[in-house]
């Protein structure tokens, strides 16, 4: 699957820190990005930043133009809720990028960003405000079955940055249900071995398809969202596929975005549906 991102939607209102998000996009200069759409709020509600007192969206647009010379940058504003605006505007681009605060509690910490990322029609990269302590491996959260689009994004990023790809399988023991403990809870080793085997299969498959990519397999026991978030301290990018977005109504996604210290790329179910429609249309034209 071709994961080249030519058009990007970037959040730019007072609730979203933007410096790290702009830097994340700027690091991809020369990768094919041709258009950036900066989404702001109603000017009457928009704050001002910088020594020149520019509106937030205009300031972000100027930063983006400086970081990506030659790229077309436009500002669009919406009077309604920022989340709805981002979902609407990102529908016609390839990627949505949102900045979040690590140091604050509230709607931008694992809340609003998770809701938007889980519903977007395109992959969404959530970039926490800095500093990012370690710029390490690309981390792919392994699910069953593998999310092919998430795999493609993780592999492309590992190749582009010449980094190792860590395949991380996070799991926890089943809990009590209305019908009692599951069979696996009665036999912990069985559950552990099943997850180990799942990771081994994924590692073998990805290694066979992408022999040029350095791989590391990592099995971690614990609450999946928190376990994945803990490993963001050693990552340059973490990629979550649709299985991790759907699990327990998105609790894994919220936990990851709440605790992450590195950028996280979320590939929600709707992104696969949109990609399938686009591919079908291209095949029909061809």
């Amino acid at each position: 699957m071709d994961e080249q991102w030519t058009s990007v939607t970037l959040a730019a209102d007072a609730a979203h820190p933007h410096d790290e998000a702009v830097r994340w996009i700027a690091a991809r200069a020369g990768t094919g990005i041709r258009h950036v759409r900066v989404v702001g709020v109603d000017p009457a509600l928009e704050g001002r930043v910088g020594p020149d007192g520019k509106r937030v969206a205009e300031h972000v647009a100027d930063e983006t133009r400086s970081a990506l010379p030659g790229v077309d940058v436009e500002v669009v504003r919406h009077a309604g809720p920022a989340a709805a605006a981002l979902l609407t505007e990102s529908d016609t681009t390839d990627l949505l990028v949102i900045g979040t605060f690590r140091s604050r509690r509230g709607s931008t910490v694992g809340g609003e960003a998770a809701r938007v990322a889980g519903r977007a029609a395109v992959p969404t990269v959530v970039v926490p405000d800095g500093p990012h302590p370690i710029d390490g491996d690309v981390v792919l959260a392994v699910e069953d079955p593998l999310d092919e689009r998430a795999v493609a994004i993780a592999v492309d990023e590992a190749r582009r940055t010449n980094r190792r790809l860590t395949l991380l399988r996070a799991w926890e023991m089943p809990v009590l249900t209305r019908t009692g403990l599951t069979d696996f809870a009665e036999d912990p080793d069985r559950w552990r071995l099943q997850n180990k085997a799942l990771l081994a299969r994924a590692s073998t498959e990805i290694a066979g398809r992408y022999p040029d990519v350095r791989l590391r397999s990592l099995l971690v026991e614990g609450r999946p969202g928190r376990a994945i978030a803990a490993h963001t301290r050693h990552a340059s990018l973490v990629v979550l596929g649709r299985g991790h977005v759907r699990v327990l109504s998105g609790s894994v996604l919220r936990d990851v975005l709440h605790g992450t210290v590195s950028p996280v790329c979320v590939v929600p179910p709707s992104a696969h549906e949109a990609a399938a429609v686009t591919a079908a249309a291209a095949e029909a034209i061809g």
Side-chain angles (χ1 to χ4, degrees):
M1 178 179 291
D2 182 4
E3 283 299 336
Q4 185 179 48
W5 296 320
T6 61
S7 56
V8 178
T9 297
L10 173 61
D13 67 72
H16 297 280
H18 47 74
D19 291 343
E20 292 291 340
V22 171
R23 277 193 280 272
W24 190 89
I25 296 172
R28 280 143 186 82
T31 62
I33 296 175
R34 297 196 295 266
H35 180 80
V36 176
R37 181 178 299 162
V38 178
V39 180
V41 297
D42 188 328
L45 304 174
E46 191 176 6
R48 295 179 180 273
V49 294
D52 50 11
K54 287 186 177 180
R55 300 285 185 187
V56 173
E58 294 293 347
H59 177 76
V60 173
D62 285 348
E63 285 187 322
T64 305
R65 291 185 185 103
S66 296
L68 295 169
V71 172
D72 177 41
V73 180
E74 68 168 328
V75 175
V76 294
R77 289 189 171 86
H78 285 251
L86 292 173
L87 290 172
T88 298
E89 293 296 337
S90 64
D91 274 354
T92 55
T93 58
D94 301 320
L95 181 73
L96 172 61
V97 179
I98 306 174
T100 60
F101 291 107
R102 272 173 38 198
S103 56
R104 299 184 186 180
R105 292 187 178 275
S107 63
T108 60
V109 183
E112 182 183 72
R115 288 193 296 273
V116 173
R119 294 168 54 199
V122 296
T124 300
V125 174
V126 178
V127 186
D129 59 339
H132 300 152
I134 294 178
D135 195 15
D137 290 2
V138 176
V139 175
L140 173 66
V142 174
E143 55 194 296
D144 186 26
L146 283 171
D147 183 324
E148 293 300 334
R149 194 164 189 193
V151 171
I153 289 172
V155 168
D156 286 351
E157 182 71 5
R159 283 173 168 166
R160 187 187 69 81
T161 58
N162 193 29
R163 296 188 185 281
R164 184 175 60 179
L165 176 60
T166 288
L167 305 179
L168 173 63
R169 175 63 180 177
W171 65 280
E172 65 180 337
M173 294 299 302
V175 296
L176 282 169
T177 66
R178 292 179 180 177
T179 58
L181 287 171
T182 67
D183 290 339
F184 284 122
E186 295 169 3
D187 184 0
D189 286 340
R190 182 181 173 191
W191 184 250
R192 186 175 296 108
L193 289 173
Q194 186 191 55
N195 279 275
K196 184 178 180 180
L198 189 161
L199 178 60
R201 288 196 304 272
S203 300
T204 299
E205 181 179 343
I206 293 173
R209 287 159 53 186
Y210 308 104
D212 59 312
V213 177
R214 291 175 294 141
L215 296 181
R216 177 180 73 141
S217 299
L218 185 60
L219 185 67
V220 179
E221 182 177 357
R223 182 168 173 174
R226 293 179 181 176
I228 295 169
H231 283 81
T232 65
R233 299 186 184 96
H234 310 286
S236 57
L237 180 70
V238 173
V239 183
L240 301 179
R242 55 184 161 187
H244 287 93
V245 177
R246 285 174 170 160
V247 170
L248 300 177
S249 301
S251 63
V252 171
L253 175 59
R254 287 194 298 272
D255 282 349
V256 173
L257 296 187
H258 182 89
T260 186
V261 295
S262 70
V264 176
C265 181
V266 181
V267 190
S270 51
H272 298 75
E273 295 162 7
V277 170
T278 301
E283 184 177 347
I285 293 173

